Amino acid sequence: MPDTLDPELRRALAARIRYYNEMGIYDFYRRETRGEVAETAVFDAVAASIHPESREEMSPRKAAAVAVAVEGNIFEVLVPKPEHGVSDPAKALKIIREDLGDCTRCPLHKQGRKQIVFGVGNPATDLMFVGEGPGADEDRQGEPFVGRAGQLLNNMIKAMGITREQVYIANVVKCRPPGNRTPEREECETCSPFLMRQIAVIKPKVVVALGAVAAKTLLAMNSSMAQLRGRFYDFKPTGVGSSDPNWDGCKLAVTYHPAFLLRDPRQKGEAWKDLQMVMKELGLAAPRANA
Ligand code: URA
C-alpha cells in the first residue's frame, strides 16, 4: 500500500478490515471481474493427486475469535412462511421467489444490480452449494456461478461424479455487490432469510458453504476458514421450520470459495479433501480417470 494513501481512506480501510476480522474473515480475494485473463486451472481428480509435500498451508493468520456454535434460538418465533405446507420443492421455491419480488430490502437494490440472482438447479437435490453473492456475469445472466469461479465450481462438481444440474446453487445475497465487494453484514442479514427458506424447502442432505461469508452466515460462527473446514456441522436453517416434520436438518461442510482457489490453486487439494468428505456422506464415488 503506498505511503501516500489519503489518511481518511487509510482509516476507512483499517476500519473495514477490522470489521471483516471481527467476522472472522482473514482471507481476502478479489472476485472475478470482466476482462481478467482466463486461467485454465481445472479442478478434477488432479487435485487429489497433488503431492502432500507440495501442498502448503495457508499463511498464518491472527487467531480468530473462539468458535461458538449457536444453539437453536429458543426464543425465536417462527412465523409461518407462504411456502409452508407446499410439499413440491419447485413450487415452494417459486413462492419464495415471488415473495422476494423486485426486492428493495437492502441498499444493494440501488447499487447497480441488473437483476436478482435467486438460485439454480435441482429443487429435489441432496446437495446444495452456497456462495457469497453474484458477480458481474451472474448479474448479467441471472444465474449463480456462471463466471470463472462458476467454471471451477462446475469442475469441482464434476470431480465428485455428478453434474451442476443435479445440485442446487444459491448465494447468501441475491444482488451483486458493486465492484464485487464482499457483502456487508446488514446485506447478509437482510437477504439470508430467503436462503434459509430455500434450504428449508429443498431439504438437502448436505450443504456446502463456499467461503467465509457463506460459512459464517449459515453457521453464525466467527472463526477462520482453517478452523471451520474439515468437519461436518449439524445444520438447520434458522427462522424457518421445514414443512416436512420428518426433515430434521442436514449436514453442512465448509470449503474454500472457488474464486479463492483461482487465486491460490495450491489449496485445491484441501478443497478436494472437503468434497471427498461430502462424497462419502452422500455415497458418491469419484468417476474413474478414463471412464
Ligand atoms: N461468487 C459467488 O459467491 N457467487 C456467485 O454466484 C458467483 C461468484
Side-chain angles (χ1 to χ4, degrees):
M1 200 178 284
D3 287 344
T4 51
L5 200 66
D6 174 56
E8 195 61 24
L9 181 59
R10 183 185 289 276
R11 261 194 300 280
L13 279 172
R16 175 60 61 103
I17 289 167
R18 257 198 315 279
Y19 157 64
Y20 287 133
N21 286 174
E22 273 165 28
M23 283 179 77
I25 297 172
Y26 299 93
D27 302 322
F28 294 98
Y29 55 84
R30 199 158 59 95
R31 291 194 294 147
E32 64 200 280
T33 52
R34 266 198 89 64
E36 264 183 288
V37 182
E39 191 179 332
T40 52
V42 173
F43 192 106
D44 53 20
V46 174
S49 65
I50 295 171
H51 278 283
E53 52 280 16
S54 70
R55 246 187 251 128
E56 287 185 21
E57 265 304 301
M58 298 194 64
S59 51
R61 53 174 71 72
K62 276 201 221 159
V66 179
V68 182
V70 174
E71 296 294 332
N73 183 352
I74 54 169
F75 301 115
E76 191 175 48
V77 180
L78 295 183
V79 180
K81 304 290 183 287
E83 68 276 14
H84 194 82
V86 178
S87 56
D88 177 349
K91 280 194 190 136
L93 283 173
K94 219 162 152 232
I95 294 169
I96 299 169
R97 178 64 189 90
E98 276 161 17
D99 193 19
L100 184 58
D102 190 20
C103 186
T104 56
R105 293 170 181 81
C106 92
L108 288 179
H109 81 276
K110 49 179 184 210
Q111 295 186 359
R113 77 152 188 231
K114 285 196 171 62
Q115 56 186 315
I116 290 168
V117 180
F118 183 65
V120 73
N122 175 8
T125 187
D126 283 343
L127 178 59
M128 242 183 110
F129 288 89
V130 175
E132 186 176 303
D137 294 305
E138 291 75 20
D139 184 49
R140 199 174 313 105
Q141 296 185 39
E143 184 172 325
F145 284 100
V146 290
R148 274 179 69 225
Q151 277 158 29
L152 179 55
L153 178 60
N154 290 349
N155 288 335
M156 291 161 76
I157 294 169
K158 248 187 245 160
M160 298 173 79
I162 50 177
T163 64
R164 177 180 170 99
E165 290 69 35
Q166 287 176 283
V167 305
Y168 194 88
I169 307 171
N171 282 310
V172 171
V173 297
K174 313 289 192 222
C175 297
R176 181 193 179 200
N180 291 348
R181 66 160 168 76
T182 304
E184 304 275 1
R185 189 197 316 244
E186 186 206 334
E187 292 155 1
C188 293
E189 281 172 3
T190 305
C191 207
S192 59
F194 291 93
L195 172 65
M196 297 293 182
R197 287 166 64 185
Q198 286 173 295
I199 299 172
V201 301
I202 292 171
K203 296 178 283 166
K205 289 195 176 122
V206 177
V207 172
V208 177
L210 299 166
V213 170
K216 283 157 210 306
T217 303
L218 290 169
L219 292 170
M221 286 171 78
N222 202 12
S223 311
S224 69
M225 280 297 286
Q227 288 169 316
L228 288 167
R229 288 183 46 246
R231 54 162 288 200
F232 275 121
Y233 300 82
D234 290 325
F235 177 74
K236 241 181 163 169
T238 51
V240 54
S242 170
S243 41
D244 181 353
N246 296 321
W247 189 69
D248 197 29
C250 61
K251 302 256 182 248
L252 187 145
V254 175
T255 195
Y256 292 121
H257 193 288
F260 174 76
L261 294 174
L262 287 173
R263 292 212 348 131
D264 190 353
R266 291 170 308 180
Q267 304 306 325
K268 285 182 181 177
E270 291 300 303
W272 180 231
K273 281 190 204 162
D274 299 329
L275 297 184
Q276 283 177 306
M277 182 179 85
V278 171
M279 288 163 67
K280 198 165 168 209
E281 179 68 20
L282 294 174
L284 295 172
R288 278 185 290 151
N290 51 4

